[in-house]
Amino acid sequence: MGTGPRAVPLTAGPLTAGDLPGRARAVIIGGGVIGTSVAYHLTALGWTDVLLLEQGQLSCGTTWHAAGLVGQLRAYEAGTRLVQYSARLYEQLEQETGQATGFRRCGGVIVARTADRMTALRRTEATGQAYGIDCEVISASEAGQRYPLLRTDDLVGALWLPGDGRADPVDLTAALARGARRRGAVIRERVRVTGIMSRGGRVTGVRTDCGDVEAEVVVNCAGQWAKQVGAMAGVTVPLHSAEHFYVVTEQIPGVHTGLPVLRDPDGYTYFKEETGGLVVGGFEPEAKPWVAPEELPFPFEFQLLDEDWDHFSVLMDSAMQRLPVLAETGIRKFYNGPESFTPDNQFILGEAPELAGFFVAAGFNSVGVASAGGAGLALAQWITDGQPDTDLTSVDIRRFAAFNGNSRWLRDRVSEVLAVHYAIPWPNRELETGRPFRRSPIYPQLAQAGACFGSKMGWERANFFAPLGESAVIEYSWGQQNWQPWSSAEQEATRQRVAVFDQTSFSKYLVSGEDAEAALQWLCTNDVAVPPGRTVYTGMLNDRGTYESDITATRLSATEYLLVASSATTERDADLIRRHAPAGSHVTVTDVTSAYAVYGVMGPASRELLGRLTRVGLDDPAFPFGSSASIDLGYATVWATRITYVGELGWELYVPTEFAVGVYEDLMATGADLGVANAGYYAIESLRLEKGYRAFGRELTPDYNPAEAGLLFACKLGGSLDFLGREAVEKAMTDGPRRRLVSVVLADGSAMLWGGELLLRDGQAAGQLTSGAFGATLGAAVGLGYLRDPAGGVVTADFARSGSYQVNVGGHLVDAAVSLRSPYDPAGSRVRPVPSSRPAG
């Protein structure tokens, strides 16, 4: 914990233009713990011509007043690995640089006041087993033994994490800066960046109040100011500052440097030792946003905001309940330091899609010290190698679009984001602020029909439909939730009759030009040189042979394709195509996501329903699986593709937005006697998992290749056609997969899966579920997950079939069946009139 401006200035007196290098290979903007970490790691990777610019003094913005907690476990594996690396780095940094970091592995205790929180901690313990991290569920009394000041009579239990630690943010920043300087980096304080220079869509340098600096790469690590710096480059960096509170107490008998970090998330609070007293802070249920990013003051060095004891009282009252000694302990200092938060509580990392060579590392949501080492390494590797070497999709800047930069929307959202830190991590938790945001043309009709909406890439999407007289709300729990019977009814309608899904949020692009086919042949794993009117499922990989996206590509003409991808990846996929199309290609990518509504009409009666509205033949000879055509539908003309993501006969309809309401009304009115039903995304999740269909971001990520994912059938490996990542895929095939995607069905129909659960084979940790849901057709929870051999061997089909399996469901081991084939209709006869030649899993 920093207690004041202890950073040593690296420059003396005001700079002049002559003091500033005129050129650097990389310019880093911001001298906090993130910027110095990026400089440290770039120089470690051989980029010695690095210039770091800080508008004040090192660590003077947000870093100096950070609490300095270094917790080991994160919600996803890549994030956990980043923090693990941070801890290892901080342990050895003092020996390397001679500068103390204040890092100490003191351990951490997380306590639970409720049974639901205890289930969350048991899930965390299982996640630790999956990632190989030492952690243990302990009793309330054992927690009291590890933390003697703790009141335990109202606790259900706790989690002990011996690897957790703490660091001094100011000293850590100084150590990283010293390490970078020793390898050649130049650090200049009191230099303010006033503009970003670019040419031809690529960054060329920065303008400062001390002169211009040319650069190949510019890295925006400006903390709270990152949104302003991004705007100079035409880059959206969606973050907003909020006031963040903690106090430092007087000395307390029994408090010592080895005392663990204590977290009481049900009480919104955390505690750590500080010079014989305690830092008492937290994340209140409703935060106080600070000024808009465009209004941040300058200068703002080592400054705090005004005390607000009224707002802090909810934290202090809770803290005194957990540690009664605080009721008789004085307060030495009140800290109210602003920090920046993002709309989804994940930090921002990566190369901006708007400007090549412009990278961002910002918005660390109060976990900057814990993440700095790993994030600095990851971004440095991204810069030097041209891509990250692990799955960073959850923090990738390309998960946001320009509309996410609206400061009024950000202000409303950030008031909720702080509370997410210590809220129970329900697997399907929806943020509520700043909504509704983006809306489908039939949003009012779906709301009237009882839709409960979730949000994805800003889109309001129907998760499920509540029956007449029921409230369309989610009652969160770890078991089956209140909406499950309604979602099961939607699944039954899809399997037995026909259902309509509003999937307007799909990302949609037109890829056109004389080189469209050649560009996509290089980018796509599957052969897209098909006749117009054919649709191909395909992946897009990186040169490591792991997934960057999966899409459907429909050929519209000799020079034009319609690509359809995940709702969340609109910016990412467009950027991927533009950056990785062969040099000199005559190809244009146009985002048409908002131009078309999309309706999935799925189920055995889908052909009958659509046939009543069109003159086009829909039988198998006339409209086979994988075909696509423009058809009349009522008064409208739409594009129809025979494809499915739920494992039933069906079509996706691409409807110009001006016809969207009319087409929806026609579908529901015409299909009334067929039992047509509205259905939502929770039903899609269950139906696709029963079929073993993969989803990008879960089963398909930059950590997994087609051999592991069971998708070699979608790779053009039989001929000479090359594609990005082919060599790596062929090597993965030769070596054999060390993990393999399997379907998992629980034996106990009352148990629930959400994804993230630990998979055990013969009693040993052997993988983790990537997705889970309740499958109404199977009458049990079903999921997908990657199975590995605990001994490190190749996962063969015989290995997968021969084990005895269980899943850790909230601390309870539940027997499970594991298969490489889809649990529902493995032959695919529901989708096509003859058994499918496509492997089912």
Side-chain angles (χ1 to χ4, degrees):
M1 218 308 294
T3 56
R6 292 179 287 162
V8 179
L10 300 182
T11 59
L15 287 175
T16 66
D19 297 319
L20 203 62
R23 189 190 181 285
R25 190 174 188 185
V27 172
I28 299 169
I29 304 169
V33 69
I34 303 300
T36 53
S37 179
V38 174
Y40 174 91
H41 287 97
L42 275 177
T43 57
L45 293 174
W47 281 37
T48 55
D49 184 13
V50 173
L51 173 65
L52 185 150
L53 302 176
E54 164 55 49
Q55 65 179 351
Q57 292 176 265
L58 292 186
S59 77
C60 73
T62 296
T63 295
W64 75 275
H65 60 71
L69 308 183
V70 184
Q72 292 285 284
L73 272 170
R74 293 293 181 264
Y76 59 102
E77 183 171 4
T80 299
R81 301 304 181 204
L82 293 185
V83 178
Q84 283 184 297
Y85 169 80
S86 292
R88 294 194 301 271
L89 172 67
Y90 302 165
E91 281 183 316
Q92 58 87 33
L93 200 55
E94 181 174 353
Q95 180 178 356
E96 174 193 336
T97 66
Q99 166 68 50
T101 64
F103 181 72
R104 180 187 183 95
R105 286 191 191 267
C106 55
V109 175
I110 307 175
V111 299
R113 300 189 186 193
T114 67
D116 281 336
R117 177 71 64 179
M118 200 63 222
T119 298
L121 295 186
R122 291 191 185 100
R123 288 175 62 92
T124 300
E125 180 189 38
T127 298
Q129 293 180 45
Y131 298 162
I133 291 178
D134 189 12
C135 61
E136 176 189 3
V137 167
I138 59 177
S139 67
S141 62
E142 289 173 314
Q145 293 169 17
R146 297 187 183 277
Y147 206 99
L149 301 176
L150 183 65
R151 176 187 169 186
T152 62
D153 64 308
D154 60 343
L155 297 179
V156 179
L159 186 70
W160 167 242
L161 298 117
D164 279 11
R166 40 179 278 199
D168 184 299
V170 174
D171 289 344
L172 175 60
T173 301
L176 291 165
R178 181 174 293 182
R181 292 182 75 206
R182 285 185 171 183
R183 289 190 290 262
V186 174
I187 297 178
R188 293 288 183 262
E189 296 179 298
R190 305 209 177 282
V191 178
R192 191 181 191 196
V193 172
T194 58
I196 305 297
M197 300 185 294
S198 64
R199 182 172 56 252
R202 183 167 190 90
V203 74
T204 58
V206 299
R207 299 191 184 280
T208 81
D209 56 3
C210 295
D212 296 349
V213 181
E214 295 180 357
E216 297 175 23
V217 167
V218 173
V219 190
N220 178 4
C221 303
Q224 298 182 96
W225 292 267
K227 187 172 189 290
Q228 290 174 297
V229 172
M232 297 176 189
V235 170
T236 299
V237 184
L239 50 79
H240 196 290
S241 295
E243 300 182 31
H244 187 49
F245 306 90
Y246 63 83
V247 297
V248 181
T249 75
E250 301 288 355
Q251 291 190 351
I252 300 172
V255 172
H256 54 85
T257 56
L259 197 66
V261 172
L262 173 66
R263 296 176 178 85
D264 178 16
D266 293 315
Y268 325 118
T269 50
Y270 62 81
F271 311 82
K272 75 152 194 170
E273 184 272 341
E274 173 82 1
T275 60
L278 289 173
V279 170
V280 181
F283 299 95
E284 63 273 28
E286 186 172 346
K288 282 185 67 179
W290 194 35
V291 298
E294 297 80 11
E295 301 168 1
L296 288 171
F298 174 80
F300 190 81
E301 299 179 41
F302 298 110
Q303 292 187 39
L304 296 172
L305 306 180
D306 293 338
E307 297 178 0
D308 188 341
W309 284 99
D310 287 340
H311 192 84
F312 187 70
S313 63
V314 65
L315 299 179
M316 199 63 200
D317 291 347
S318 176
M320 289 189 291
Q321 179 183 349
R322 188 54 43 227
L323 301 182
V325 69
L326 293 175
E328 52 194 52
T329 302
I331 302 299
R332 183 152 51 94
K333 178 70 175 176
F334 187 110
Y335 285 82
N336 179 6
E339 296 186 33
S340 58
F341 293 82
T342 64
D344 62 357
N345 201 38
Q346 298 289 344
F347 58 84
I348 298 171
L349 207 67
E351 187 173 13
E354 301 97 327
L355 184 63
F358 187 88
F359 290 80
V360 179
F364 278 80
N365 305 291
S366 282
V367 296
V369 171
S371 304
L377 173 63
L379 190 63
Q381 291 172 331
W382 198 330
I383 292 168
T384 58
D385 298 342
Q387 62 185 13
D389 68 352
T390 189
D391 176 20
L392 296 176
T393 52
S394 65
V395 298
D396 193 323
I397 188 172
R398 294 171 296 177
R399 72 189 189 274
F400 294 119
F403 54 76
N404 291 117
N406 181 294
S407 290
R408 182 172 180 177
W409 179 79
L410 287 167
R411 180 180 180 85
D412 287 349
R413 172 54 60 89
V414 80
S415 66
E416 181 183 10
V417 168
L418 263 76
V420 172
H421 278 271
Y422 280 175
I424 291 178
W426 304 118
N428 58 334
R429 185 172 194 259
E430 295 281 355
L431 294 173
E432 298 174 358
T433 49
R435 295 178 54 196
F437 200 26
R438 305 173 79 188
R439 290 178 247 190
S440 158
I442 60 168
Y443 175 87
Q445 286 81 1
L446 299 182
Q448 187 175 12
C452 175
F453 293 96
S455 179
K456 181 74 71 174
M457 193 57 171
W459 286 101
E460 298 294 326
R461 311 194 312 173
N463 283 333
F464 61 85
F465 291 82
L468 185 65
E470 299 284 354
S471 297
V473 297
I474 302 172
E475 296 173 6
Y476 294 111
S477 72
W478 290 111
Q480 291 188 20
Q481 298 178 358
N482 64 303
W483 48 263
Q484 187 60 63
W486 311 331
S487 179
S488 293
E490 295 167 20
Q491 296 176 50
E492 188 269 339
T494 308
R495 295 274 189 244
Q496 301 301 324
R497 301 185 304 281
V498 59
V500 174
F501 299 85
D502 178 21
Q503 297 172 284
T504 298
S505 62
F506 274 163
S507 300
K508 302 175 278 287
Y509 322 89
L510 287 178
V511 177
S512 56
E514 61 185 84
D515 296 326
E517 178 187 303
L520 290 177
Q521 283 289 65
W522 166 248
L523 289 166
C524 295
T525 62
N526 215 340
D527 187 356
V528 298
V530 293
R534 294 296 300 171
T535 297
V536 177
Y537 169 76
T538 180
M540 291 196 291
L541 311 178
N542 51 48
D543 58 13
R544 301 193 318 275
T546 57
Y547 280 94
E548 293 293 334
S549 184
D550 77 324
I551 62 171
T552 57
T554 298
R555 187 159 206 167
L556 305 180
S557 70
T559 59
E560 190 171 42
Y561 289 80
L562 172 67
L563 306 189
V564 180
S566 161
S567 304
T569 59
T570 307
E571 299 296 321
R572 176 189 177 89
D573 290 334
D575 182 66
L576 178 73
I577 297 166
R578 292 183 182 118
R579 287 184 190 270
H580 295 288
S585 295
H586 294 283
V587 62
T588 301
V589 182
T590 306
D591 178 4
V592 294
T593 298
S594 297
Y596 297 92
V598 181
Y599 302 138
V601 183
M602 301 289 159
S606 58
R607 180 181 282 123
E608 171 67 17
L609 171 54
L610 295 176
R612 295 177 179 182
L613 292 168
T614 183
R615 295 172 298 170
V616 174
L618 300 177
D619 59 357
D620 291 312
F623 214 125
F625 184 83
S627 58
S628 190
S630 176
I631 68 170
D632 63 290
L633 200 72
Y635 290 158
T637 301
V638 308
W639 197 269
T641 300
R642 186 173 164 193
I643 199 168
T644 183
Y645 195 46
V646 298
E648 299 295 336
L649 174 70
W651 280 260
E652 288 176 359
L653 308 178
Y654 294 83
V655 185
T657 51
E658 64 269 33
F659 294 107
V661 172
V663 167
Y664 172 77
E665 290 173 343
D666 282 348
L667 290 170
M668 301 310 290
T670 304
D673 65 313
L674 298 174
V676 67
N678 287 297
Y681 274 84
Y682 287 173
I684 291 176
E685 182 74 351
S686 296
L687 295 163
R688 69 107 181 166
L689 288 174
E690 288 187 328
K691 278 293 294 180
Y693 290 155
R694 289 78 165 135
F696 182 77
R698 284 175 282 177
E699 289 75 45
L700 307 180
T701 79
D703 281 345
Y704 301 109
N705 62 53
E708 296 166 328
L711 294 179
L712 289 172
F713 72 87
C715 298
K716 46 181 181 272
L717 297 171
S720 60
L721 290 174
D722 199 7
F723 60 88
L724 180 60
R726 174 170 179 159
E727 183 177 345
V729 172
E730 291 175 332
K731 184 178 186 303
M733 292 174 59
T734 301
D735 294 345
R738 291 300 194 273
R739 52 196 176 181
R740 200 157 175 176
L741 192 67
V742 295
S743 287
V744 178
V745 181
L746 294 187
D748 181 354
S750 65
M752 187 64 182
L753 294 176
W754 297 103
E757 292 84 1
L758 179 68
L759 177 65
L760 299 98
R761 182 183 184 273
D762 297 336
Q764 291 183 283
Q768 193 175 23
L769 269 62
T770 50
S771 302
F774 182 79
T777 312
L778 299 176
V782 58
L784 286 169
Y786 280 94
L787 172 67
R788 58 179 174 81
D789 180 356
V794 173
V795 178
T796 63
D798 286 341
F799 177 87
R801 284 192 290 262
S802 62
S804 174
Y805 293 95
Q806 293 175 307
V807 176
N808 186 319
V809 180
H812 303 285
L813 298 184
V814 180
D815 291 340
V818 165
S819 174
L820 292 170
R821 291 169 63 81
S822 60
Y824 173 77
D825 186 29
S829 59
R830 304 279 295 187
V831 177
R832 311 189 210 202
V834 295
S836 171
S837 60
R838 167 177 166 173

